[in-house]
Amino acid sequence: ELNNYRKTLQEEISKKAEKQWSLEKKLNTILDALKNLKIETLRYKNTGTYVLKGIDEVQQVLDDQLNILLMMKASPYIKPVLTRATAT
């Protein structure tokens, strides 16, 4: 009976660690995607002001990453990476 309990405990710990690792990898993927975003500006006529170029693509990437983060934060396995996920 003790061996069954030990095996169950090992499986639970392994599952939890696997889920946490998966969340950590997703968070790293999000951070990499955000680091690679480039926002370009263009001079607007001769007004001395600038406009953003290609903002639709940037907005889509940000929306996608935000949705992924929100789903991650709802996970019961997020606690170990919650500080990083919240700061992102």
Side-chain angles (χ1 to χ4, degrees):
E1 190 172 305
L2 183 58
N3 284 334
N4 288 341
Y5 177 74
R6 183 181 306 164
K7 184 176 180 178
T8 302
L9 186 60
Q10 287 173 340
E11 288 172 356
E12 287 178 23
I13 291 170
S14 177
K15 178 183 174 184
K16 190 174 184 178
E18 183 179 331
K19 297 289 185 178
Q20 288 172 354
W21 175 244
S22 175
L23 290 172
E24 186 77 33
K25 284 177 26 180
K26 281 183 186 177
L27 185 57
N28 288 337
T29 301
I30 289 171
L31 291 173
D32 288 342
L34 295 176
K35 286 178 187 175
N36 291 327
L37 280 181
K38 299 209 186 302
I39 298 176
E40 296 181 50
T41 58
L42 298 172
R43 185 180 299 271
Y44 182 70
K45 299 181 181 178
N46 287 327
T47 62
T49 59
Y50 293 84
V51 293
L52 299 176
K53 176 184 176 187
I55 195 68
D56 292 335
E57 179 185 335
V58 171
Q59 184 66 45
Q60 184 63 47
V61 170
L62 291 173
D63 286 345
D64 292 346
Q65 302 311 322
L66 178 60
N67 287 332
I68 292 169
L69 277 173
L70 292 173
M71 287 188 292
M72 287 174 61
K73 286 181 181 180
S75 169
Y77 305 102
I78 193 66
K79 194 169 185 175
V81 293
L82 186 59
T83 303
R84 282 188 66 210
T86 304
T88 301

